[in-house]
Structures are given as C-alpha cells and as structure tokens.
DNA sequence: GTGAAAGCGCTAACAA
DNA sequence: TTGTTAGCGCTTTCAC
C-alpha cells in the first residue's frame, strides 16, 4: 500500500505562476475571462506541480458534490441472480461519468440499513439520488422524500397515485405484455396461460394487466403466481399443467421464470413450441439465448433505462429545465422472436 | 423532485444549546471530555434541529472522507453476464457500511476511462481503493500506484512478481483446480480434459496450473482454450470432441464454461456423467443449479472475498496495524458434489 | 471541562 | 481582465 503524499494547493500554483489564487481558480474552472498568456502560465504551473483541486474545499463553498447516490433496496438476493442490476448500473455509470459525476452506491439489506441510507441522503453528501423502489411496502421512498433530495425512481413506484410529482423511468410493461400475448393468440393458441412475477412489484402487476387486456375473458385458472425466479417458474408450471392440462401457451413474467417453465415442460414431455408455446420478458441474453429452445421474449432496454434515469436527474440538478421535469418516462419494448413461440 | 432545504450548522446547534461550537463538535464526535449535563443539552439541540454534520467541511480539516472507491475494470461485458461482480460488491458494501464508509463505484469501459479514474483517485476524494485487476496488461495498477492511494486488489494481479508489497485477496484457484481434477481421476477417468478460462487473467492461469499439477504428463491435446463464457465452452467442447473422441472427463475453468460444454455434450449424445464427467468452478448458483445434470463444481466464497478486501483496506487506513498488512490472502475452495461428476 | 480563535482549500462578490 | 477579501462549516490547538 502506498503512502499519501502532500498535495499542492491553489495557493502553491498561484505562487508558481505569479498570479492570484482567483486567477488560478478561474483557469481551473474553464478559464473564461482570463487572457491567453496567463491561462498558459497557470496551466503549466498546474501541470508541473501535479495540482488536483481539493473536492471537499470546493464542495464546502459551492454546495455541489458532483456525486449521485444509487440506492438499491434488495432484501432478497434475487437481484444478484440476474444481470438486471449490473446492466442498469452500467447505464447509470456511463451517463454520470459523461457529466463528471460520481456514483455512490448504497446497497440496503435490512431495516437498519434504511435508517443509514436516510441519514446519508439527509447528510447532503450527494446532489441527488437514483432509487430502485422494488416493493410496494418499501419505507425508502418515504425516507427519501423527507431527506429532501432530488430523486428519480427506477420502475414506477407502487405508492405513486399519479398525482404527485415523483419522477420515474419505466418500461412499457403493460404494452409489452399485450404484444406477447397477442403474438401467442396470433399463433392460434387458445389456452394462453400467464405465470406472474412477484406481484408486490409494479412491473409484475403491469404485465398481468397487459395479459388481461388481451385475455380478459379467459379462464382465471390460467393465471398462476410466480416470483420472477426459475424455481418459481417451475413450481407455477407444474401447478398449471395439473390444473389445465390443455394449456397450449405460456406468457412468463420474465425470462428466468420462462426458463423454469421450459424445464418442467421438457420434463413432462411437452414439446415447445409445438405443444406449448412460451414467451418470456426482459431478453436477458445469458438466459434467453441459453434455453432450449431459444426463448422468444419481450426486450426492454435496461441499460438505456439506467442512462435515462441519470440524465433526468442531472437535468433537474442543473436547474436549466425551464419546464417541469416529466413525471414519468416509459420506454417501449420490442418482441424478439426466437424459437419458443 | 423535492427541493433542498437549508441545513442547520454547528453554530446553530451551539446557539440553541447555549454552548460553544467546540463543545458541540466534541459531543457530535463521541462526547469525550464533556460533562454529562452538557452532552444531554447538546444532544437535544441536535435532535430538535435535525442537525447532520456537513461532510465536506469535516473532510476539509480531517482529510478523511470515510469513502472507498471500488474500481471495476471491465472492457468486456462478461462481468455483467454472471453474478460474480454483484456478489463481491455486496460483500464489500456490507463491510464498508459496517464501518461507516461509503462506496464510490468506478466502472471503466475504455482507455479514456482509465485516465478519469486515475485523476479521481489522485484527487483525494477517497481514502482508499478496492480494485479488480482483471487482465494482465491492464494499465490501471500503474495509474493507481502513481496516485498514491492505499489499495487492495481483488484477485492476484498478474504483474505482481511477489516481491512488491501489493495487497490482494484471491481464491485458491490452483488448489481448487487440483481438487477437481483429483476427483475426476478418483472416479477412474483417464482422459481428463481442461477447458481453460481467459488466460490473460491469473485465475485462469492458476486453474490451468492446478490441472497440470495433477495431469502433468497427460496428452496436451486435452487442454483447450476457452474464455469463461458459455459460448467459449461450447466451442472448446466441440474442438475437444473432434480432437479427442475418447475424452471421459472435463474440468471447465468456470461454471459458465461448463454449461456450454454440457450443452454440446448433450447435443452430441454423450451422457453426463456416464460417458463424460464434468466439473465446473465458482459454484455460481443460478448456473450450477440449473444445468442438466446438476453441476459438480468448486466453490469459492465470493462475497467473503469482497468482505475481506474491504476489511484489509480499512485496517490499513486506521494505521492501527502494528505489523505490516499481509501481502496476499488466499481463500480456500471446496468441492461441491452434485450430479455431473 | 469549556471556549476563543485559527485555519483546512476553495469560490465568488466586489474593487481596482 | 485581474486581485483582494470574505467566508463555506468544521476540527483543533491553546488559553482559561
């Protein structure tokens, strides 16, 4: 481990360049309003001394941190079993670094973690927060509201009644689900089932709504509850086959669920897609492209969602937005046809 | 989005409690050397005003940030296809928050990102760094050394010659590989192949070494190069079957590779484990527990690795460690026997 | 044990 | 255009 060296200050650079601190500061912050020869001299001094501004000192006066907190509430380990989280993070990271902002990651695992996050956000360490509000009963949004930090949510928050001014980015879960089910119907399937996700998340509820939009009058027995995991998909598929042996199509709430369903289907000797057509949701490549047969699914651009969240937040932070920030942004989905339906 | 409220300062608390700023500061930082009644009064004032210390101001004088950077160099998208990254992050996060440190995530995607990270680290925003040095030719370590930030590496850095004082945490890749291959040999297999990982990473090189420790005198044709991906596993397995049709066991560099190999084996009509036994590495649950048959593999405790990295770094930061920090810590692995071998 | 005072390194009026 | 000056909110000697 290396030792920490004493860093040169603005003062030192000023002395070396033979100018005042203010001038150095100007140059360092863009150099507007400083004559070229001086700029040059200061730049050289900065270079020679290896000067890097002290962020703490700067923040103290500007009240800006150029840092954004990303809060991932994950009581369960599910997030860690699929690349969703990582992809979104990458999108966020790209956008943030493009605007010279840092990403402070706050992972919460339990109740006491919530308090810690609340304190941190209230502590004014960051300019804003990006929050993944995963469950209906999550206390986090409440805490954040109170902390008074500009925030953008990932996924439509369940507690938002639409009248408040929560900003969020979401996929068109309902529309995507509709498209998937319509595709199944278009294939001539008449007994189209749905394995839901964890229904305390709006994404799962919305996909179920989409299914019902198309299959509203269908046998309610065809809807089985899942939980977004492969194991849940297996369980649900078994239940489904027992309950409705004549099922000829399944719309699974996500790819992981579909992969579990696929396994059970094979185990029970049903051919896919001949006997039962299967569609997933997400287009999680490592899953959808590894199933047998390859999975037909509804793609959502996860990385873009992350990027968009960051962009929305940053725009709000630079109060340039004459008009109000849009309350919710919903990204389109696309059906990716492979072999399973 | 909520608006930012004016935060109360130390001064305000002092006024309200009828004491000096110094006293409030003492109480806020533990309250040593302040008489009980005063402590009480200050605490109440803090409570009533909802005072939270301004970290920037504090850092400015203490030169501490209570923040650690986590640098993940990932030119490829591989990290995002398996949960490795997320698990390690979680371990790190747990340990860090337990010690009131924040996690600043630095994702790098290309050359220019390296410069940015170097600048950030040199900028003294964080007290230390946790770095995943994934490839042999990575310029990052160099940059970090120059930035002079205390650092712990995840995985043995390839450029470390053992004499320098780099601190790292790694799994016993070589020992784990040996155990896997020995298990295969113990099963009576004589044509034991190895599909390697990306050999510009020490983990892959070490696993290959472990294989050779046991199979040193084996047919060199039995070693095929992979890249830690399922696709790479498929490719390698095909090559292997063409080259050595009599292969009766495969040690894959990781579970993802094994899953690809398994697929090809099935496609070619080889029974697992009867005809060909297969072992993976990692015990990545979402992969190892979804394969058919269930994958026998070598487990490494990834979350613990992350936790340990953080612990090592924090210990070094509180210069309490009388003795030197250990150069490298190597965690043991365990063979998890399932159905494939 | 408590308070007064001096900065930490920087930006942003305001003067010159 | 450039420099002077006054803090930002906090910790930390040093007196009392």
């Amino acid at each position: 481990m290396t030792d920490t060296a004493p860093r040169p200050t603005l003062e030192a650079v000023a002395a070396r360049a033979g100018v005042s601190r203010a001038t150095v500061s100007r140059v360092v912050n863009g150099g507007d309003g400083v004559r070229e020869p001086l700029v040059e001299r200061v730049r050289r001094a900065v270079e020679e001394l290896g000067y890097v501004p002290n962020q703490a000192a700067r923040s103290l006066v500007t009240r800006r941190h150029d840092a954004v907190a990303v809060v991932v509430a994950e009581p369960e380990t599910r997030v860690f079993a699929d690349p969703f989280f990582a992809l979104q993070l990458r999108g966020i990271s790209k956008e943030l670094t493009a605007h010279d902002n840092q990403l402070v990651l706050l992972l919460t695992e339990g109740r006491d973690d919530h308090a810690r996050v609340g304190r941190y956000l209230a502590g004014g360490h960051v300019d804003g927060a990006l929050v993944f509000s995963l469950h209906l009963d999550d206390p986090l949004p409440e805490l954040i509201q109170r902390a008074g930090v500009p925030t953008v949510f990932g996924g439509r928050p369940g507690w938002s009644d639409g009248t408040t001014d929560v900003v969020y980015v979401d996929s068109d879960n309902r529309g995507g689900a509709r498209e998937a089910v319509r595709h199944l119907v278009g294939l001539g399937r008449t007994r189209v089932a749905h394995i839901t996700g964890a229904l305390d998340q709006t994404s799962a509820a919305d996909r179920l709504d989409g299914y019902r939009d198309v299959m509203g009058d269908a046998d309610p027995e065809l809807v089985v509850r899942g939980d977004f995991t492969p194991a849940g998909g297996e369980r649900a598929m078994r239940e489904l086959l027992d309950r409705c042996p004549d099922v000829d199509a399944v719309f699974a709430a996500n790819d992981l669920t579909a992969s579990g369903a696929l396994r059970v289907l094979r185990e029970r000797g049903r051919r896919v897609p001949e006997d039962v057509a299967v569609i997933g949701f997400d287009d999680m490549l490592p899953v959808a492209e590894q199933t047998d047969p390859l999975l037909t699914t509804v793609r959502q651009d996860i990385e873009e969602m992350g990027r968009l969240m960051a962009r929305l937040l940053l725009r709000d932070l630079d109060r340039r937005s004459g008009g109000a920030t849009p309350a919710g942004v919903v990204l389109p989905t696309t059906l990716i046809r492979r072999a399973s339906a």
Side-chain angles (χ1 to χ4, degrees), chain A:
Chain A
M1 299 205 191
T2 6
D3 267 332
T4 168
R7 359 189 84 282
T9 73
L10 243 205
E11 182 91 53
V13 178
R16 174 146 198 141
V19 297
S20 73
R21 277 155 47 203
T23 298
V24 178
S25 176
R26 288 183 190 112
V27 172
V28 169
N29 293 293
D32 298 341
V34 180
R35 245 188 279 273
E36 193 45 46
L38 269 198
V39 172
E40 220 13 78
R41 237 168 55 214
V42 172
R43 287 252 162 80
R44 193 170 15 255
V46 165
E47 191 71 22
E48 291 167 354
L49 263 38
Y51 168 76
V52 185
N54 178 320
Q55 198 50 244
R58 179 180 278 174
S59 290
L60 186 55
V61 31
T62 60
R63 281 134 191 304
R64 265 281 241 170
H65 302 265
D66 295 317
V68 167
V70 172
V71 184
V72 180
E74 200 43 28
E76 296 138 272
T77 47
R78 195 183 71 78
V79 168
F80 293 94
D82 70 43
F84 207 99
F85 164 67
L87 276 173
Q88 210 137 7
L89 215 46
R90 176 205 266 186
I92 290 172
S93 165
K94 277 187 180 163
E95 188 70 22
L96 248 30
T97 60
H99 293 269
D100 270 307
N101 266 265
Q102 292 311 322
L103 194 172
V104 179
L105 187 65
L106 268 30
L107 259 31
T108 75
E109 215 93 32
R111 297 311 261 195
D112 27 332
D113 276 7
H114 286 133
R116 174 177 59 78
V117 169
R119 227 180 311 124
Y120 184 78
L121 258 23
H125 303 252
V126 290
D127 302 326
L130 261 19
V131 178
F132 296 89
S133 163
L134 294 163
H135 301 277
L136 274 176
D137 59 344
D138 206 307
L140 223 45
E142 165 78 29
L143 280 170
I144 289 161
Q145 295 282 10
R146 250 188 301 156
V149 183
T151 301
V152 173
F153 289 89
R156 182 170 58 82
W159 41 266
S160 158
D161 51 15
T163 62
T164 46
D165 60 345
V166 264
V167 181
Y168 67 86
V169 174
D170 203 355
S171 276
D172 183 12
N173 289 304
R174 189 163 182 166
R178 267 197 303 257
E179 192 179 357
V181 177
R182 280 209 197 97
H183 175 69
L184 258 12
V185 171
L187 255 28
R189 311 292 165 141
T190 55
R191 297 286 284 165
V192 180
H194 177 43
I195 303 180
T196 74
L199 289 172
D200 62 337
Q201 304 182 228
T202 55
S203 59
D206 290 353
R207 288 171 201 180
L208 173 55
D209 284 344
Y211 166 84
R212 287 200 173 124
D213 287 345
V214 182
M215 302 292 294
D217 50 348
D219 185 351
E221 293 262 285
L222 285 169
V223 175
V224 192
R225 182 151 183 167
D227 57 5
F228 283 136
T229 71
E234 293 189 12
R235 213 179 313 114
M237 194 65 235
R238 288 213 176 82
E239 194 179 329
L240 201 52
L241 285 173
D242 293 343
R243 243 163 43 183
C244 314
D246 61 339
V247 59
D248 59 8
V250 176
F251 165 50
N254 71 348
D255 292 349
L256 255 18
T257 299
S259 77
L262 244 25
R263 214 169 5 249
V264 170
L265 251 10
R266 183 167 52 211
E267 172 189 308
R268 297 277 179 106
R270 307 282 185 122
R271 290 168 308 159
V272 176
E274 295 83 350
D275 302 331
V276 183
V278 176
I279 289 194
F281 206 111
D282 282 351
D283 196 30
M284 204 109 283
L285 259 26
V287 178
E289 292 195 326
Q290 303 300 336
T291 56
D292 177 21
L294 262 33
L295 191 64
T296 290
T297 188
V298 179
R299 167 180 299 164
Q300 44 180 340
D301 193 339
I302 299 166
E303 188 173 330
E304 177 61 21
M305 282 181 65
R307 193 186 260 114
L308 194 52
M309 286 176 68
R311 201 174 305 151
L312 246 36
L313 182 62
L314 291 176
R315 184 186 304 164
D316 184 83
L317 292 181
D318 308 340
R319 306 276 181 197
R320 292 208 202 96
S321 52
T325 317
V329 178
V330 176
L331 261 34
T333 58
T334 52
L335 185 68
I336 304 295
R337 237 196 124 171
R338 294 205 180 84
S340 72

